[in-house]
Amino acid sequence: MEQHPAANFEVHDPTILAQARAIMDATESPRAWAQAVIEAVTRNEEWRGRRCINLLAPEAPTSPTVRALLASEIGTRAAEGHIGRVNRWFAGTRHIDEVEALCVELLKTAFRCRYADHRLMGSMLGNLTVYHALSQPGDTVMTAAQPFGGHSSNRLDGPAGTRGLNIVDVPFDPVELEVDLDAFARLARQVKPKLVVMGMSMTLFPLPVQQMSDIIAEWGGKFIFDGAHQAGLIAGGQFQDPLNEGAVVLTGSAGKTFSGPQSGMILWNDPALTQPLTEAIFPVLVATHQVNRVAALAVAAAEMIEYGAVYMAQIVKNAQALGRALAERGIPVLAEARGFTRSHQVIANVRQFGGGLEVAHRLAEANLIANKNLIPGDKPADWDRPSGLRLGTIEITRLGLMEADMATIAGFMARVLVEGEEPASVRRDVEDFRLPLQDFYYNFDNGWPPALGKTEAA
Ligand SMILES: *Cc1c(COP(=O)(O)O)cnc(C)c1O
């Protein structure tokens, strides 16, 4: 009998699913199946955790304490709703309330704002919260398209799309990678967006938040800063301060520059927004909300308050040094004339080396982990095979590396890409460089990195 093609539809790579199936077919023992999972986790820890130079921009190592809290007993307890005995459905949440209240207060301190929410699993849900709370189906919103750094959460195929919004692109200057403010003013005055949501996954320079907010204020439009990537830089005072520049809501991912457990954070100042936002969080988007993650987030916020300014400044200095070192070695980097970056990211144009997909996988064979990225000039047809490569300096900074070390890392990359050396031979040198570096700094476990020469106790 002929099968309907839809019956075979599989979104995952069928070869990798077949490998998992083969493991399960090889034995009838559930214990052995569990063991196979644990072994894959261990292989990852040995490779990505100990032997790779991880340059993924949306990834951050957590401190030992934050990581340990993710396995704490409190994570097996159920809590839903708002903090406090009357607000909760379940009894027995006394200590959970203490942890959650500390998390909220620490986030408010870290971001210097009046309100914070800690319950979302990711900032994809943070953005959905904003769309649910502050827009109606049919409203017009303006957001950034992906080739300029925009994120699907603010586009038709993401949360914004599920809300049935009319999405209009924020105009960008493709050379300077900046919002084209004149074009934005013209278009915005024409379509009068209810919200402008700027969420940049490719983020090199601060945005003109004040100017854009002033324009849309003419008809009561609200500016939302989706700071998934920049949250740590913002908390550390090293990028821009959207809530003081006109943004009414800041959303952020705790697992990116903020260097905590993967979580969504929502920050705001206006008491009038508290009810719509928190009612969208509970009971619309979360019920139980992983209190282990909340505890870990609270400690990560305390680390940011203590170490954030210096840690985030070093992340930016390292990114600028990495951009310069790559350019010097013949790897074209965007925004060279502007000093490459003011964030944790560096964007290389690797078209001449085979494009982002090919290059990212070749580098991964040398234990250098990065991701392909769309850059201006890429067409929708290039979606899977874009020209860019995005690099981030979060993990290498938390390992204690400084500007001078960026030349070493750029050198490894140039050997693979420019000199055409076999990735396997570069990998040996990458491992020699990485294996002695196994401690994460800028936290209460390990204090400041030795290279900073700071003497005070952690
Ligand atoms: C990563 C990212 C998100 C999604 O964040 P998660 O925490 O992974 O859900 C949303 N917006 C932007 C701009 C991002 O870069």
Side-chain angles (χ1 to χ4, degrees):
M1 211 177 83
E2 211 183 345
Q3 265 194 325
H4 192 272
N8 292 328
F9 179 74
E10 182 56 74
V11 71
H12 301 296
D13 183 324
T15 319
I16 302 171
L17 286 179
Q19 283 161 5
R21 197 69 243 172
I23 290 172
M24 297 186 60
D25 287 345
T27 162
E28 307 230 302
S29 160
R31 180 191 294 274
W33 299 339
Q35 192 54 35
V37 174
I38 293 159
E39 284 166 10
V41 169
T42 306
R43 281 194 294 276
N44 196 68
E45 180 162 358
E46 179 60 29
W47 181 48
R48 294 292 306 282
R50 289 173 41 80
R51 295 171 179 272
C52 285
I53 297 177
N54 293 294
L55 299 161
L56 285 181
E59 188 175 274
T62 54
S63 67
T65 298
V66 166
R67 208 174 123 183
L69 281 169
L70 289 172
S72 56
E73 177 272 347
I74 210 166
T76 65
R77 304 299 154 202
E80 60 174 37
H82 310 306
I83 298 167
R85 56 191 281 149
V86 186
N87 297 325
R88 305 268 201 204
W89 199 248
F90 312 132
T93 59
R94 179 165 22 126
H95 303 302
I96 292 170
D97 281 348
E98 292 165 9
V99 169
E100 290 196 34
L102 279 165
C103 188
V104 168
E105 294 302 324
L106 284 161
L107 287 175
K108 283 156 60 174
T109 301
F111 286 97
R112 306 169 294 278
C113 63
R114 291 179 65 181
Y115 297 98
D117 204 282
H118 58 295
R119 285 170 288 187
L120 301 165
M121 275 182 292
S123 80
M124 199 82 167
L125 291 177
N127 293 339
L128 186 53
T129 300
V130 166
Y131 290 119
H132 187 90
L134 304 180
S135 71
Q136 295 294 327
D139 282 347
T140 294
V141 301
M142 288 182 77
T143 71
Q146 277 97 332
F148 299 106
H151 187 262
S152 58
S153 56
N154 305 311
R155 306 296 290 169
L156 215 48
D157 53 351
T162 66
R163 192 64 174 151
L165 301 170
N166 171 33
I167 297 168
V168 175
D169 292 357
V170 169
F172 269 80
D173 177 330
V175 178
E176 297 294 334
L177 269 180
E178 278 182 331
V179 174
D180 180 339
L181 267 180
D182 291 335
F184 172 76
R186 272 195 307 277
L187 186 57
R189 288 188 175 117
Q190 196 184 319
V191 304
K192 295 196 169 41
K194 188 166 198 176
L195 306 175
V196 170
V197 186
M198 293 301 283
M200 310 306 290
S201 303
M202 177 169 68
T203 172
L204 297 174
F205 300 100
L207 295 168
V209 174
Q210 190 72 64
Q211 292 95 317
M212 295 173 82
S213 302
D214 287 348
I215 292 164
I216 63 177
E218 291 168 16
W219 54 90
K222 290 186 167 67
F223 191 101
I224 313 296
F225 196 101
D226 165 5
H229 266 272
Q230 307 89 342
L233 301 173
I234 291 168
Q238 302 301 319
F239 195 62
Q240 64 184 147
D241 199 4
L243 291 176
N244 278 314
E245 296 164 12
V248 298
V249 181
L250 169 63
T251 60
S253 297
K256 299 182 182 175
T257 51
F258 197 75
S259 304
Q262 287 179 0
S263 307
M265 305 179 286
I266 304 188
L267 303 313
W268 69 100
N269 281 318
D270 181 358
L273 296 178
T274 301
Q275 196 171 359
L277 288 172
T278 52
E279 285 180 352
I281 292 166
F282 177 83
V284 179
L285 292 173
V286 280
T288 50
H289 47 248
Q290 309 135 318
V291 195
N292 53 330
R293 182 189 55 70
V294 174
L297 178 59
V299 171
E303 292 171 353
M304 282 304 297
I305 293 165
E306 176 77 15
Y307 296 95
V310 177
Y311 174 27
M312 295 297 134
Q314 192 61 48
I315 281 179
V316 176
K317 284 188 253 179
N318 283 350
Q320 291 165 342
L322 182 61
R324 200 175 316 116
L326 289 167
E328 282 167 5
R329 285 163 182 74
I331 298 174
V333 180
L334 267 53
E336 176 161 7
R338 299 177 70 194
F340 304 104
T341 183
R342 279 277 301 111
S343 77
H344 60 305
Q345 295 188 7
V346 173
I347 310 293
N349 181 341
V350 293
R351 199 172 303 157
Q352 72 193 82
F353 306 114
L357 176 69
E358 162 68 20
V359 161
H361 285 278
R362 209 177 327 144
L363 289 172
E365 285 175 45
N367 286 10
L368 298 158
I369 312 296
N371 72 270
K372 64 179 182 181
N373 219 81
L374 287 166
I375 55 176
D378 283 338
K379 304 280 174 305
D382 304 325
W383 219 253
D384 290 334
R385 292 183 157 67
S387 308
L389 186 76
R390 182 178 62 169
L391 306 163
T393 53
I394 308 174
E395 181 160 326
I396 54 179
T397 303
R398 210 169 204 190
L399 282 169
L401 300 182
M402 298 288 148
E403 290 98 308
D405 300 306
M406 301 303 114
T408 308
I409 293 172
F412 292 141
M413 292 180 61
R415 281 167 61 188
V416 177
L417 300 183
V418 181
E419 294 157 35
E421 192 173 329
E422 273 307 307
S425 79
V426 179
R427 180 170 68 223
R428 281 189 284 278
D429 293 336
V430 168
E431 293 196 352
D432 284 346
F433 177 78
R434 175 65 166 84
L435 278 167
L437 305 166
Q438 298 295 335
D439 288 322
F440 295 123
Y441 297 98
Y442 306 101
N443 55 62
F444 303 112
D445 304 88
N446 296 323
W448 300 104
L452 269 184
K454 280 184 176 268
T455 46
E456 68 257 54

